[in-house]
Amino acid sequence: DRVLKKNPLFGLNPRKIHRLVLSAIVVAVKYLDETCANNKAYSIVGGISVDELNFLEILLISLLELELYIDPGTYYKYTQEIELQYQKLKEQESNSEVTEDRSEIEEKLSLI
């Protein structure tokens, strides 16, 4: 939301949202943790090249104007929304067949 508020002309589509979320995760992990995986591991899981991830990381920090801190209230609000959406997806999944190849996801996660 902050990227869109600071940059109203920044349009989103499925390709961009995937890359935005991936780069946001990388930036957040590096901001919060003393140790983290290298960008190669994140790029493998995200399905993009290391060079692209490096570029996206710099771009995101730039779009946020170096304002990486999130206050606890905002964090809680988005955590609740993610949990709600997750529960909805679980309900949908239990009501229909799962077609996603889970072993491929598990394999990528094991590389981290």
Side-chain angles (χ1 to χ4, degrees):
D1 282 351
R2 288 194 296 162
V3 169
L4 296 175
K5 286 178 186 170
K6 290 178 179 282
N7 308 277
L9 298 178
F10 185 84
L12 284 179
N13 60 42
R15 179 181 160 91
K16 278 187 183 177
I17 194 71
H18 164 256
R19 284 159 172 71
L20 179 63
V21 169
L22 178 62
S23 58
I25 290 169
V26 171
V27 169
V29 168
K30 289 181 178 183
Y31 180 78
L32 295 171
D33 293 338
E34 290 181 24
T35 59
C36 60
N38 62 32
N39 279 11
K40 182 173 182 167
Y42 293 114
S43 71
I44 290 169
V45 171
I48 64 173
S49 72
V50 176
D51 289 340
E52 184 177 7
L53 182 56
N54 291 339
F55 171 78
L56 292 171
E57 186 178 1
I58 293 167
L59 178 63
L60 178 62
I61 292 169
S62 209
L63 289 170
L64 290 171
E65 299 171 352
L66 300 174
E67 295 178 23
L68 303 181
Y69 175 78
I70 298 174
D71 66 86
T74 302
Y75 178 82
Y76 180 77
K77 173 185 152 191
Y78 283 98
T79 301
Q80 294 301 307
E81 183 60 32
I82 290 169
E83 288 177 7
L84 177 66
Q85 294 301 322
Y86 174 72
Q87 289 304 320
K88 287 180 182 179
L89 285 173
K90 271 181 64 175
E91 289 171 15
Q92 289 175 357
E93 186 177 274
S94 66
N95 295 332
S96 64
E97 287 187 17
V98 178
T99 57
E100 188 175 317
D101 184 3
R102 292 183 183 274
S103 64
E104 182 178 273
I105 292 171
E106 291 170 355
E107 181 181 326
K108 286 181 179 181
L109 290 174
S110 72
L111 296 173
I112 297 179

